[in-house]
Amino acid sequence: MAVCIAVIAKENYPLYIRSVPTQNELKFHYTVHTSLDVVEEKISAAGKAMADQRELYLGLLYPTEDYKVYGYVTNSKVKFVIVVDSSNTSLRDNEIRSMFRKLHNSFTDVMCNPFYNPGDPVQSKVFEGMVSGMMVQAS
Amino acid sequence: MADEALFQFLHSELIQYIYKSGANGETENGKNITKLEAMGFRVGQGLIERFTKETPRFKDELDVMKFICKDFWTCLFKKQIDNLRTNHQGIYVLQDNSFRLLSQLSAGKQYLEHAPKYLAFTCGLVRGGLSDLGLKSVVTAEVAGMPACKFQVMIQKA
């Protein structure tokens, strides 16, 4: 279960960011912002390495003492960042991948919506519903 | 099967509609082409998002153009681009010897002057797809002889 989920556009501004409301939200925004650097590093490093079939999923970006941050980049350079609680029983890689896949599918649906202009904040209710399903339930 | 014909009919009606509504006002010919191209742009962005969901990341510009020529064109028109040429400095020419959207018009000189209208939407599609993948470009098209056509893509360096 994620603690914070963010969708960041190609130009590195957030299209959608949502965190568990009970905690200090600013801290999560800051964490997501710093993780962008790590994402950039991984993208440029992968260019020199061999083409990997699973390049879209970036894996664990960096662990802090409380949280782990995972990243995923689409071919259109939109980045998804998920922050999970470390104290939680460690989620397996496959579960994180499936979360990213669901996010990517929902985001593709949002992009294909003719009422959505690329670059605007995401306001789709279906997208919000899917994200709520993945976040820790606020007690 | 049926979906190909559906899109061709819709596309032809789209062009007729834009031109008819253009004739009522005082819009000149250029604006209609721009409207069609802008529509293609937005559709191209959404299509690319859907088609590149599973593909591995692209290594460079040439890789992106090859994807457009093979997978993108196949998904749209059930065939690949027949010829891709480049000068390796950002200019690519995509040649299609029997463009689906033109194949219904008679293969001769009669409708040659109307052909650009039918290519505007596809130019927008390519431009939208490239822009979503991170490449700003200018796409133009020309018809030498029906139903063959050439799309010229000029990638703009940042």
Side-chain angles (χ1 to χ4, degrees):
Chain A
M1 287 286 138
V3 159
C4 168
I5 292 185
V7 178
I8 294 145
K10 191 169 17 173
E11 294 86 6
N12 288 335
Y13 61 86
L15 289 174
Y16 180 81
I17 178 163
R18 176 129 157 245
S19 38
V20 169
T22 50
Q23 308 194 356
N24 186 2
E25 290 196 25
L26 195 58
K27 182 174 60 170
F28 288 126
H29 286 223
Y30 181 67
T31 312
V32 169
H33 191 253
T34 50
S35 67
L36 284 180
D37 269 335
V38 188
V39 171
E40 289 285 333
E41 198 185 304
K42 293 225 176 196
I43 300 180
S44 50
K48 300 179 191 104
M50 292 195 314
D52 189 5
Q53 190 59 25
R54 291 161 304 180
E55 268 179 14
L56 296 183
Y57 173 67
L58 298 172
L60 183 65
L61 295 177
Y62 66 91
T64 64
E65 65 273 7
D66 294 326
Y67 305 104
K68 296 197 202 141
V69 184
Y70 292 90
Y72 180 98
V73 179
T74 70
N75 269 318
S76 49
K77 305 288 174 286
V78 169
K79 303 153 187 101
F80 299 118
V81 177
I82 293 187
V83 182
V84 251
D85 210 336
S86 278
S87 58
N88 206 349
T89 47
S90 51
L91 293 173
R92 270 182 310 216
D93 205 42
N94 280 337
E95 293 174 18
I96 305 273
R97 277 179 200 271
S98 74
M99 278 163 76
F100 276 123
R101 207 170 308 130
K102 276 196 281 191
L103 266 176
H104 197 173
N105 288 338
S106 279
F107 182 72
T108 309
D109 290 336
V110 166
M111 261 305 250
C112 292
N113 181 356
F115 295 112
Y116 171 73
N117 289 323
D120 290 349
V122 173
Q123 284 161 339
S124 150
K125 290 210 175 51
V126 176
F127 192 77
E128 303 242 352
M130 193 252 347
V131 169
S132 314
M134 290 202 291
M135 310 247 309
V136 174
Q137 304 309 322
S139 47
Chain B
M1 284 139 264
D3 50 340
E4 225 184 296
L6 276 178
F7 177 66
Q8 285 184 16
F9 283 131
L10 185 62
H11 182 248
S12 317
E13 274 312 306
L14 183 62
I15 295 178
Q16 295 290 358
Y17 173 74
I18 298 261
Y19 273 82
K20 230 179 283 184
S21 54
N24 288 340
E26 270 122 18
T27 41
E28 32 170 286
N29 201 14
K31 279 217 187 124
N32 294 333
I33 301 259
T34 314
K35 271 193 223 170
L36 281 167
E37 214 250 357
M39 273 192 226
F41 183 81
R42 180 69 187 95
V43 173
Q45 283 181 313
L47 277 178
I48 280 284
E49 193 70 46
R50 232 176 244 288
F51 291 152
T52 58
K53 228 185 338 188
E54 297 301 320
T55 54
R57 224 174 316 154
F58 296 117
K59 284 195 291 272
D60 58 9
E61 216 171 84
L62 192 56
D63 222 20
V64 174
M65 289 312 294
K66 285 199 223 161
F67 171 79
I68 300 261
C69 294
K70 297 199 199 139
D71 301 315
F72 197 51
W73 224 255
T74 313
C75 294
L76 292 174
F77 305 115
K78 310 267 189 320
K79 65 184 281 282
Q80 297 184 1
I81 284 275
D82 296 311
N83 197 351
L84 169 67
R85 284 200 298 267
T86 173
N87 68 355
H88 290 290
Q89 274 158 13
I91 305 216
Y92 299 86
V93 179
L94 285 67
Q95 185 164 345
D96 191 336
N97 286 333
S98 83
F99 191 50
R100 277 288 146 81
L101 298 175
L102 286 179
S103 60
Q104 305 304 323
L105 305 177
S106 55
K109 296 234 186 312
Q110 187 179 4
Y111 295 111
L112 206 54
E113 55 176 25
H114 295 292
K117 293 184 213 168
Y118 285 80
L119 299 171
F121 186 77
T122 315
C123 286
L125 269 178
V126 176
R127 191 166 70 90
L130 285 172
S131 128
D132 210 44
L133 291 169
L135 299 171
K136 278 205 197 326
S137 57
V138 175
V139 182
T140 52
E142 55 187 8
V143 184
M146 312 272 272
C149 61
K150 285 196 209 154
F151 294 94
Q152 186 180 38
V153 178
M154 284 176 277
I155 309 275
Q156 325 231 304
K157 295 287 178 223

